[in-house]
Amino acid sequence: MSERHEAQTDEPPARGGNRALVGKLLLMAGGMFAFGFALVPLYDVFCEVTGFGGRTNTEAAVVIERPDESRTITVEFVATLGGFAPWDFQPAVTTMEVHPGRLYQTHYVARNRTSGQLTGHAVPSVAPGSAARHFQKTECFCFTPQAFLPDEERDMPVVFIIDPNLPRHVDRVTLSYTFFAGQTVAGLTDKNQTEKASR
Amino acid sequence: MSTTATHAPAHDDHHNAPTGIVRWLTTTNHKDIGTMYLLFALLMFFVGGAMALIIRLELFQPGLQYVQPEFFNQMTTMHALIMIFGAVMPAFVGLANWMIPLQIGAPDMALPRMNNFSFWILPFAFTLLLSTLFMPGGAPASGWTLYPPLVQQTGDALPFVILAIHLMGISSIMGAINVVVTIMNMRAPGMTLLKMPLFTWTWLITAYLLIAVMPVLAGAVTMLLTDQFFGTTFFHAAGGGDPVMYQHIFWFFGHPEVYIMILPAFGIISEIIPTFARKPLFGYDAMVYATASIAFLSFIVWAHHMFTVGMPLAGQLFFMFATMLIAVPTGVKVFNWTATMWRGAMSFETPMLFAIAFLFLFTIGGFSGLMLSIVPADYQYHDSYFVVAHFHYVLVPGAVFAIMAGVYYWLPKWTGHMYDETLGKIHFWLSVIGVNVTFFPQHFLGLAGMPRRIPDYATQFANFNMMSSIGAFIFGLSQLMFVYIIFKAIRGGAKATAEVWDSPKGLEWTVPSPAPHHTFDEAPQVK
């Protein structure tokens, strides 16, 4: 095949040309494979900037109180268990009326239902997404893993503030926590830990 | 198999070539490999089709009659994976292998050994995929999109499915690289890019799409694998991941993928309509640019598959309008095909019948796609049978009819015999009636609120479901005719001339029928 092509003087030499082009195309395929993984940090940045997916801070925020008494926002508290986590987990109050720019405190109650030691981890989320950036927590049990003794029940505090820049049309914000057993609940690991804990 | 008529003894200079199965295992000839791809796709079309018939059998009446819900979900998932990766894509690659070298005046594909390798990966990939049906926990049942966390409940099958997808991806990427290199480096002298036949053009663009998105799918399923077995948390909220991110990555692949399955179909239709309208294609340049625009737009519309998972208003508006924009180049294409037929001396042989049915029915699928792109309406249509009706209209009377049209169009060139025109027409009419009876009522089911991927339904949906199932069996069984017609043409029939049709355009019609084992040993001159 290459001989045939070398016979034609007006054609580029097929072999070298092929190799260079194949190289470029393989590089493109490899680049796109890497791009698939690069989407992971890009997605994180995107979520943090836009509040997309209800992403909210998981490290203590530093805030200044500037109360805006003219607005009242209803904050709803939701608790969910992740996977097969053996806990009792609920908010102490389900709604609060708050003014933007003022710090408020509430707490969630969790109980380890097993007779073993357990470590839990709460993942927060705020709805609607457009409020997520304006909902800041200065103190939260979701910042660190929570260790529980057998049958221990504990109040876990949250201190939060809603930024006065919250979009005007938002009058209701939901703070939701999903409580996972173990620091990561990766399918099999979770089940093993749960089994060990319940033994 | 080894006596297929593609092997023309008079022209064969394949000295000391192996015979029997070894010939097919070791062949580097683009025509042999094209034939293998097409036969493989045909086989998978029936495997996937049998699964579709199991689905329609269960849905014939409300209540659970024949299969369990878990198995039903395995059928919907496997049907999709097999039809997409096993039937439609390999059929297009087979057509590319056969026709691209003939259309551009090249003696073979540029990378013949890689060509052999990319085909022979496929039987292994699909053996792996099909073997999951017999594993503890069964085949994947999460839908072909493999969304976490649902897919992570798959039993032992998950790593096998992921490996099978990797193999299919490697095969597609190698096939695509081969197509690009062949088209870029092996065109006959004088064949400039804007003189290439449209089937070659659409395949060039498709090949770039494949190279760009198949690796992204590979990345997504690799993340699923490491999440399941190696403790990563790409898609686990507990470790800071997000299952919605999977949907973004998947559809970044998935939307270009649907164009991968339709652009070569556009190419085939653009070859057939001019031949049977006996007029040159209207607006050749516009067709090329429209194809390129569709390919570009396919990268910026992915989130229209996931409006209901929630996103900012600005995002919804962007993806809605970008999606609607695709209707413009697609409309250009439909207009140009129609204009090509305008005042043409039309005749209605089987390939033309399939091409015209494509034009009508693909356009219906396009319109229902536009309806789905409207965000507020999509909240109602999402995950309903309306979506099922939409994508089956673009894939069955769209992609599959185009493949059948292409097979009828080029079969005399491959086999040297005319197929049986009467049987071909009967096959066409049964298919077109079957497809519409199957999928048209599904629009109504979806609008009335029937969700997709369920084995049972409320009795109010019974009539349209029964209709749809009857249509599915008409369509499915009439495809046996297709096989009969193909094998009849392979074994004999009226001798085909080199031109086959009435003065068709293109280099493939300058070589004898059947096309000899080696063609264009000396490159033709293109004016």
Side-chain angles (χ1 to χ4, degrees):
Chain A
M1 190 184 61
S2 56
E3 290 152 37
R4 284 186 202 112
H5 269 259
E6 275 151 27
Q8 297 160 16
T9 44
D10 55 345
E11 283 281 293
R15 198 164 267 281
N18 285 358
R19 199 168 292 161
L21 187 53
V22 171
K24 274 184 216 152
L25 295 169
L26 280 175
L27 209 63
M28 190 174 152
M32 288 310 289
F33 186 72
F35 176 72
F37 284 87
L39 283 173
V40 178
L42 282 175
Y43 182 79
D44 275 347
V45 171
F46 177 75
C47 287
E48 262 149 46
V49 173
T50 61
F52 180 80
R55 198 70 69 92
T56 173
N57 62 315
T58 50
E59 276 168 26
V62 180
V63 294
I64 304 162
E65 285 194 275
R66 281 186 293 132
D68 173 5
E69 311 253 326
S70 66
R71 282 179 84 187
T72 307
I73 313 288
T74 307
V75 181
E76 300 176 320
F77 300 93
V78 175
T80 315
L81 287 174
F84 304 98
W87 310 84
D88 291 329
F89 179 55
Q90 61 261 320
V93 293
T94 51
T95 59
M96 279 173 87
E97 303 286 318
V98 305
H99 296 303
R102 180 173 291 168
L103 281 164
Y104 291 87
Q105 178 164 12
T106 181
H107 63 271
Y108 276 65
V109 186
R111 188 177 73 89
N112 175 2
R113 282 207 311 252
T114 69
S115 51
Q117 283 200 1
L118 268 188
T119 301
H121 186 82
V123 176
S125 169
V126 170
S130 55
R133 267 183 304 164
H134 304 287
F135 192 99
Q136 301 287 336
K137 298 175 295 306
T138 57
E139 195 186 325
C140 178
F141 57 93
C142 59
F143 296 158
T144 50
Q146 299 289 320
F148 279 76
L149 297 170
D151 271 323
E152 183 188 353
E153 179 172 314
R154 191 162 80 222
D155 291 352
M156 302 189 297
V158 188
V159 179
F160 65 90
I161 185 168
I162 292 178
D163 193 311
N165 295 329
L166 182 76
R168 290 310 296 189
H169 66 270
V170 180
D171 59 358
R172 185 176 287 265
V173 176
T174 307
L175 173 64
S176 159
Y177 287 101
T178 306
F179 210 52
F180 293 95
Q183 291 184 37
T184 58
V185 186
L188 297 170
T189 358
D190 175 34
K191 261 178 250 159
N192 294 342
Q193 282 178 353
T194 314
E195 274 163 24
K196 258 181 243 152
S198 54
R199 244 177 247 138
Chain B
M1 273 262 289
S2 57
T3 53
T4 1
T6 55
H7 204 258
H11 294 86
D12 191 13
D13 50 346
H14 220 225
H15 302 296
N16 306 321
T19 52
I21 184 73
V22 181
R23 170 190 164 200
W24 296 96
L25 284 170
T26 58
T27 184
T28 53
N29 181 284
H30 73 103
K31 300 183 183 81
D32 284 356
I33 294 173
T35 304
M36 289 196 293
Y37 262 113
L38 287 165
L39 291 174
F40 179 80
L42 189 62
L43 177 68
M44 286 298 131
F45 183 56
F46 278 90
V47 174
M51 291 172 175
L53 292 186
I54 292 172
I55 294 169
R56 282 321 317 175
L57 186 67
E58 181 55 54
L59 293 175
F60 184 67
Q61 285 183 318
L64 290 178
Q65 281 89 25
Y66 302 99
V67 297
Q68 291 305 305
E70 308 82 66
F71 186 71
F72 182 91
N73 289 345
Q74 293 173 26
M75 286 294 102
T76 55
T77 306
M78 294 289 274
H79 163 71
L81 287 172
I82 287 173
M83 285 303 199
I84 292 167
F85 294 106
V88 173
M89 288 168 67
F92 281 133
V93 180
L95 290 170
N97 258 293
W98 251 103
M99 299 320 298
I100 287 176
L102 289 181
Q103 288 197 327
I104 62 174
D108 205 309
M109 296 293 277
L111 310 159
R113 284 200 197 99
M114 192 166 91
N115 205 7
N116 172 293
F117 190 46
S118 61
F119 170 76
W120 278 108
I121 288 177
L122 284 181
F124 294 95
F126 282 89
T127 307
L128 258 185
L129 183 65
L130 286 166
S131 71
T132 61
L133 281 166
F134 306 103
M135 289 179 184
S142 58
W144 81 284
T145 52
L146 308 174
Y147 281 178
L150 183 59
V151 73
Q152 265 140 350
Q153 296 174 16
T154 307
D156 293 356
L158 187 66
F160 293 88
V161 175
I162 289 172
L163 185 60
I165 289 175
H166 275 305
L167 289 176
M168 295 166 202
I170 291 168
S171 165
S172 305
I173 291 167
M174 291 199 304
I177 288 176
N178 213 343
V179 166
V180 173
V181 178
T182 305
I183 295 175
M184 287 307 188
N185 287 358
M186 298 192 54
R187 295 191 310 276
M191 174 77 77
T192 57
L193 283 175
L194 280 174
K195 277 185 190 161
M196 291 195 316
L198 260 164
F199 177 67
T200 301
W201 246 118
T202 52
W203 241 110
L204 178 63
I205 292 168
T206 304
Y208 274 111
L209 285 182
L210 277 166
I211 296 168
V213 300
M214 290 309 285
V216 177
L217 174 68
V221 295
T222 305
M223 289 182 221
L224 283 180
L225 191 75
T226 59
D227 267 13
Q228 184 84 337
F229 297 106
F230 302 104
T232 59
T233 55
F234 288 109
F235 310 127
H236 282 300
D242 188 348
V244 174
M245 183 177 70
Y246 176 85
Q247 300 187 19
H248 282 285
I249 300 176
F250 180 86
W251 286 112
F252 183 84
F253 145 80
H255 202 77
E257 169 69 16
V258 306
Y259 292 109
I260 286 167
M261 290 190 286
I262 204 65
L263 294 184
F266 289 169
I268 294 169
I269 301 304
S270 305
E271 302 284 338
I272 291 174
I273 288 181
T275 299
F276 295 97
R278 291 165 182 79
K279 274 177 65 192
L281 184 70
F282 183 88
Y284 170 91
D285 290 9
M287 287 302 229
V288 172
Y289 295 131
T291 310
S293 319
I294 293 171
F296 168 74
L297 287 171
S298 76
F299 283 101
I300 56 164
V301 298
W302 77 89
H304 68 210
H305 293 269
M306 35 188 297
F307 282 141
T308 56
V309 302
M311 68 181 79
L313 183 66
Q316 295 187 330
L317 287 172
F318 171 78
F319 286 111
M320 174 168 87
F321 289 127
T323 304
M324 290 177 170
L325 201 56
I326 297 182
V328 177
T330 313
V332 167
K333 299 192 83 92
V334 171
F335 177 85
N336 285 358
W337 288 320
T338 315
T340 306
M341 290 191 284
W342 174 252
R343 292 189 170 171
M346 296 224 283
S347 59
F348 299 94
E349 287 86 345
T350 309
M352 184 62 162
L353 289 175
F354 272 103
I356 294 172
F358 170 95
L359 193 49
F360 270 96
L361 301 176
F362 174 79
T363 306
I364 291 178
F367 281 138
S368 56
L370 268 177
M371 290 170 71
L372 285 162
S373 74
I374 303 166
V375 177
D378 182 73
Y379 276 58
Q380 172 71 17
Y381 304 149
H382 185 85
D383 260 351
S384 77
Y385 253 83
F386 190 80
V387 178
V388 177
H390 156 69
F391 69 73
H392 280 96
Y393 258 89
V394 287
L395 281 177
V396 186
V400 173
F401 271 24
I403 291 166
M404 287 176 179
V407 169
Y408 280 114
Y409 184 55
W410 286 308
L411 197 60
K413 178 59 60 189
W414 302 336
T415 64
H417 304 121
M418 295 305 288
Y419 59 87
D420 188 323
E421 188 65 53
T422 316
L423 289 183
K425 283 191 170 128
I426 296 172
H427 170 231
F428 166 75
W429 284 108
L430 286 174
S431 296
V432 82
I433 291 168
V435 149
N436 283 295
V437 174
T438 310
F439 296 115
F440 211 81
Q442 295 182 359
H443 289 113
F444 305 132
L445 287 171
L447 293 178
M450 179 170 159
R452 62 190 286 209
R453 293 173 178 155
I454 52 157
D456 188 10
Y457 48 83
T459 47
Q460 64 193 8
F461 304 129
N463 292 348
F464 280 136
N465 267 300
M466 186 177 280
M467 228 185 268
S468 180
S469 291
I470 293 170
F473 278 88
I474 296 174
F475 180 76
L477 295 177
S478 58
Q479 299 322 308
L480 295 171
M481 281 190 73
F482 186 47
V483 181
Y484 176 75
I485 294 165
I486 291 171
F487 282 91
K488 194 175 170 207
I490 290 172
R491 290 185 28 215
K495 277 267 165 236
T497 60
E499 281 205 319
V500 182
W501 310 108
D502 191 6
S503 322
K505 299 283 174 295
L507 287 175
E508 73 257 45
W509 310 109
T510 63
V511 301
S513 301
H517 203 59
H518 295 291
T519 38
F520 298 123
D521 283 353
E522 280 184 37
Q525 280 293 333
V526 180
K527 282 170 280 174

